[in-house]
Amino acid sequence: MPEPYPRWAGDYYQAPYNPHVYVPPAYYNHPYYAPQPHVQPQPQPQPQPHNWQAFLDRQRSSKYPHLNPALAADMTHVRYDLRKAPASGMLFSTYQQVAQTPALDRPTLELRVVSKAFPWTIDIKVAAPAVVMCGAVWDAMYKMLQEPIADSEWGLAIHDKTHREAIEKAAKARQDAAKGADGEKKLKRIDWLGEATVFKGLERDEEFEKRRLLPGTAAVAETWVVKFGKP
């Protein structure tokens, strides 16, 4: 008999597949916030900005002081091309240093990403004592953008000739680079971005966030707008 509700199996959330909800794997369970197995838990101090890695702590974002500067649109030097998985789309040394640092300097179990460049919502969810990490933000965006463009989405795109041609051009370039690999013939959501496939950080836009929220659905306090640019 099937379970009446999703279950937690270790650190992995077993739920029906939803491309708009990303549950990070267990290795994002950061030891700063989570007591390790077989170790007597110790009282954990409240997260402070200095708990981020030293090279990221040269300067705090003046606009978004609680956001990891590797993610902040006004500060980040990370230029991640979302056509590739995070570990290969940016300098690997940067990925290693930043991926498992918290996205915010306060314990955050849910973070939502929206954009003015695409019509989808990405919800990143973890279970306490884990928190949302920078790597999970990049992973979630990459995985969502690898989804095929749906028939209804293409129906919207065709009304804008310039956008439709940009999607088709991006798809052809991606398909040519893949040299006929299985699954590359379909249009993907990454193609929706055209040539602007580089992550340029997260920012807040409360007016856009309110308009973007689907009526009748719950808002997420940590909702961020992702910016993109050309390589």
Side-chain angles (χ1 to χ4, degrees), residues 8 12 14 35 49 75 104 138 150 154 160 179 204 211:
W8 286 96
Y12 184 75
Q14 296 180 323
M75 271 201 72
L104 292 110
W138 292 318
W154 181 244
D160 183 333
K179 297 180 180 178
R204 295 304 299 260
R211 288 188 285 112

Side-chain angles (χ1 to χ4, degrees), residues 151-165 167-168 187 192:
D151 179 71
S152 57
E153 295 162 354
W154 181 244
L156 295 175
I158 63 172
H159 296 291
D160 183 333
K161 182 174 182 290
T162 300
H163 188 206
R164 174 177 59 80
E165 291 177 347
I167 293 173
E168 293 175 329
L187 294 179
W192 192 278

